[in-house]
Amino acid sequence: MNILLGQKLATKIIGVLVGFFLLALVAIGLTLYSSWKLEGVAAAINDAGSLRMHSWKVAHHTAALPTDGARRDARLLILRKDMNDIERVQADLVKGDPARPLFIPRDDGIPDDVATIARVWHAEMRPLVERVIDAPSTDASRQAAVALEGATHGYVKRIDSVVKKMERSFTAHTNVLRSYQVLLVALAVIGTVALMRFFFVAVIRPLDTLQSGMQRMEREDFTARVPVLTDDEFGELSRGFNRMAGHLEGLYGTLEERVATKTRSLAEKNRELSILYNIARLLRQQMSIEELSRGFLEEVRRTFDADAASVRLFDAAADNLYITTHQGLATEFIDEEAILDCGNCLCGQAVLGDIPIVSGTSDPDSARTRDTCSRAGFQTVSAVPVNHNNRALGIFNLYFRRKLDISDGDRQVLQSLGQHLGMAIENVRLLSREKEMAISEERNLIARELHDSIAQGLAFLNLQVQMLDDALAHGRVDETGEVVELIRQGIQESYADVRELLQHFRARVPQQDLSAALRQALARFSEQSGVDGELRVHGASPPSVAEVDIQALYIAQEALSNVRKHAQAQHVTVELWRDAEGMRLEIRDDGIGFDRPTAPATGQGEHVGLHIMGERAARIGGEFEIRSRAGQGTTVSLTLSARTMEASAA
């Protein structure tokens, strides 16, 4: 047991269990083997005993064997069967049969005796039986039967002798089996006691020691230590417990100091988070750069208790910084610092760097700006870069009339604030440019629509007026009526185009309801053109993007306008499919149609209205398609995936 104490616990447990398992396995194997042998000997005793019965049966049948007739034949069949049984049993005893099992003992001369019984049968007994069967007369048969009966007495005595030897051997093997069983019981008792002792020493005692130590720790006795009883996992646990107790003892001694330090740290973190939250909430509001800067300065100045503050934006082309917003600065200071060359002060160093710069105005290396700050009464100045995506946008300054040492944590907060301000300024600029681009694109679309409708109509009217003037000048009065009618039709068509354009420009999509807007547009179309219209809406989906709905409505209006002008249709169907996968809009008419390949209508030389519809679809990332054949109507379709619609909302 002591040998195992220096080993790992898992190794000890496995070794002990495997050892006892092997011992038990050997004992059980010996017991099973002895039981198997005893079963074979018992079968041999039983078969050897059956030889006596078969021998007497043979003697009986030969003594009562009829001389002739059917009874003799039947008795001979029984006699020969008994003889065959005797020989089969003898052969089994000599060879043995592991499958039954059947074994004769190998001690006390039993194999020789069994072989002798078989020889006596073949040499003496069987010939006598054959003499009885083959006897030529009744007297000869009776004499042979008497001789067989006498020989059978001797033969059976031999068998009895062998059976008794087998029984003695069986008794001896039974005693051996009982010894094995007693050994197995003893092994179980000894093994149980040994295992209990082993687990007490290797597991229970170390656990009890650790539990005692833990109870002392629960009572806040941090001086508790446990003895290391073994050099295994429990030994490691004991050493770890002692280290932990020592560490806790040290921690408990400095607990109040640590709590105070953590409290100050948490207060600083809460202050930083509060600053960042307030600034982030302010910068999320929609306002101009000047308004953003003003609100930003108010919050930062109040938080850091600064005497003055300013925001300067960077002009990369001129390498200048110019003040956008300021608080607490005198007019003389603003006049001198309104536009500042980046190479003349620490502000220029800050805008080109990525970390805040804090400096005292009385430092020996003060530059012109520091002189300005010093004259204004400031003793400490900070310059914090304002940037976005590694691009310098400017800086913001905090001015203090006292000496101030800004901590590393506050410097990180100032740097984060500069990044937040830079992102907000860049978002305002991007929004402004986006609005400008949207206005420009919409103007281009309006210009194309005017060109497609009003401009072409006016050109047509101008041509007709010239023809009218020429007819009047040459006295062709008969042509004037036709020309005037064409002018009247052209004016009426232009008037209708103007009304339609005004309705398009005034059209608005109700809040998250494209189907209602399409229904109104289709109703106006039917009222103006007299063409029957039908709207079919399939499926449902979450509210879509306003820009997508507006452009889809404009495409539908333009398609309906083309139907009114060119299709000569009797019926128009507008279908809208909406689901989680996206949206599809389709406008079909039964008009005259036209021959064109199945492709988006964006090529040069096409009707300007078709070109505009293609541009509107491309603007929102949709797939625009026109399918038409002469005499088979026209289908205009717009398809958008859910991903495309999400991108349009971004």
Side-chain angles (χ1 to χ4, degrees), residues 61-92:
H61 289 313
T62 54
L65 184 67
T67 56
D68 56 10
R71 290 183 60 196
R72 177 182 175 84
D73 294 336
R75 187 61 62 88
L76 285 174
L77 288 175
I78 296 174
L79 181 61
R80 293 193 181 280
K81 179 180 180 301
D82 289 337
M83 293 171 63
N84 292 335
D85 289 342
I86 290 173
E87 293 176 356
R88 176 182 57 78
V89 171
Q90 290 174 351
D92 288 344

Side-chain angles (χ1 to χ4, degrees), residues 16-218:
V16 170
L17 292 178
V18 168
F20 280 111
F21 172 76
L22 292 176
L23 288 175
L25 190 64
V26 170
I28 293 171
L30 291 174
T31 302
L32 292 175
Y33 178 75
S34 297
S35 300
W36 183 63
K37 294 288 287 183
L38 285 175
E39 186 178 356
V41 172
I45 292 173
N46 184 60
D47 283 8
S50 68
L51 285 176
R52 294 178 293 189
M53 180 189 67
H54 289 301
S55 298
W56 285 118
K57 286 178 65 178
V58 168
H60 172 71
H61 289 313
T62 54
L65 184 67
T67 56
D68 56 10
R71 290 183 60 196
R72 177 182 175 84
D73 294 336
R75 187 61 62 88
L76 285 174
L77 288 175
I78 296 174
L79 181 61
R80 293 193 181 280
K81 179 180 180 301
D82 289 337
M83 293 171 63
N84 292 335
D85 289 342
I86 290 173
E87 293 176 356
R88 176 182 57 78
V89 171
Q90 290 174 351
D92 288 344
L93 289 174
V94 172
K95 296 186 296 182
D97 186 2
R100 288 182 56 178
L102 184 147
F103 303 105
I104 60 174
R106 296 299 175 181
D107 54 353
D108 202 13
I110 294 174
D112 294 336
D113 292 341
V114 171
T116 300
I117 290 172
R119 287 197 301 271
V120 169
W121 167 260
H122 288 287
E124 298 178 10
M125 299 296 295
R126 187 179 180 89
L128 289 174
V129 175
E130 295 293 341
R131 284 175 55 191
V132 174
I133 295 172
D134 298 334
S137 64
T138 303
D139 293 337
S141 175
R142 185 176 296 111
Q143 292 176 0
V146 171
L148 175 62
E149 183 177 359
T152 301
H153 281 285
Y155 182 69
V156 169
K157 286 182 179 180
R158 288 179 180 274
I159 295 174
D160 287 339
S161 176
V162 173
V163 169
K164 289 179 180 179
K165 288 184 178 181
M166 288 185 181
E167 289 175 347
R168 288 196 297 271
S169 178
F170 181 83
T171 302
H173 282 84
T174 302
N175 293 331
V176 171
L177 176 61
R178 288 173 181 170
S179 300
Y180 287 153
Q181 291 173 339
V182 171
L183 177 63
L184 187 59
V185 172
L187 180 63
V189 173
I190 295 172
T192 302
V193 173
L195 286 175
M196 291 173 62
R197 172 64 179 170
F198 167 74
F199 279 105
F200 176 79
V201 173
V203 179
I204 297 175
R205 187 173 63 178
L207 279 177
D208 185 63
T209 303
L210 286 172
Q211 185 179 13
S212 299
M214 291 174 62
Q215 290 174 350
R216 292 179 60 186
M217 294 287 287
E218 289 177 355

Side-chain angles (χ1 to χ4, degrees), residues 580-622:
E581 300 298 325
M583 182 187 79
R584 178 176 175 82
L585 175 65
E586 193 171 277
I587 301 96
R588 298 191 304 273
D589 66 71
D590 58 358
I592 60 175
F594 58 95
D595 287 325
R596 60 175 282 113
T598 302
T602 57
Q604 296 297 329
E606 296 288 350
H607 193 280
V608 177
L610 303 183
H611 194 180
I612 290 174
M613 285 192 285
E615 288 184 350
R616 288 190 183 278
R619 183 173 179 178
I620 56 177

Side-chain angles (χ1 to χ4, degrees), residues 400-510:
F400 303 89
R401 298 187 184 279
R402 63 188 183 280
K403 275 286 188 180
L404 183 66
D405 185 15
I406 298 179
S407 65
D408 292 339
D410 284 344
R411 288 173 185 260
Q412 293 178 359
V413 172
L414 289 173
Q415 184 176 4
S416 298
L417 293 177
Q419 294 172 354
H420 279 74
L421 180 59
M423 181 172 60
I425 291 174
E426 188 65 17
N427 287 339
V428 171
R429 290 177 175 176
L430 289 174
L431 182 60
S432 177
R433 287 196 290 269
E434 183 180 354
K435 289 180 179 179
E436 291 175 0
M437 292 179 63
I439 292 172
S440 176
E441 290 180 5
E442 194 62 29
R443 285 177 177 176
N444 289 334
L445 292 174
I446 291 172
R448 290 181 179 274
E449 291 183 357
L450 290 174
H451 177 272
D452 189 38
S453 57
I454 307 301
Q456 291 185 359
L458 292 176
F460 173 76
L461 291 175
N462 182 46
L463 178 61
Q464 297 303 320
V465 168
Q466 292 177 12
M467 294 175 62
L468 177 61
D469 182 62
D470 183 69
L472 292 174
H474 293 83
R476 297 192 299 273
V477 180
D478 53 339
E479 296 179 7
T480 58
E482 182 180 352
V483 174
V484 169
E485 178 61 24
L486 291 175
I487 292 174
R488 185 188 65 79
Q489 293 178 0
I491 293 173
Q492 185 175 3
E493 180 69 22
S494 296
Y495 177 68
D497 288 341
V498 169
R499 287 189 61 189
E500 186 172 341
L501 286 175
L502 290 175
Q503 289 174 351
H504 286 189
F505 298 153
R506 293 173 181 172
R508 292 293 183 269
V509 178

Side-chain angles (χ1 to χ4, degrees), residues 518-539:
L518 290 172
R519 186 173 289 105
Q520 293 176 5
L522 191 59
R524 287 196 302 269
F525 163 79
S526 298
E527 180 182 352
Q528 293 172 359
S529 63
V531 177
D532 184 30
E534 179 185 5
L535 174 64
R536 300 174 185 170
V537 180
H538 308 280

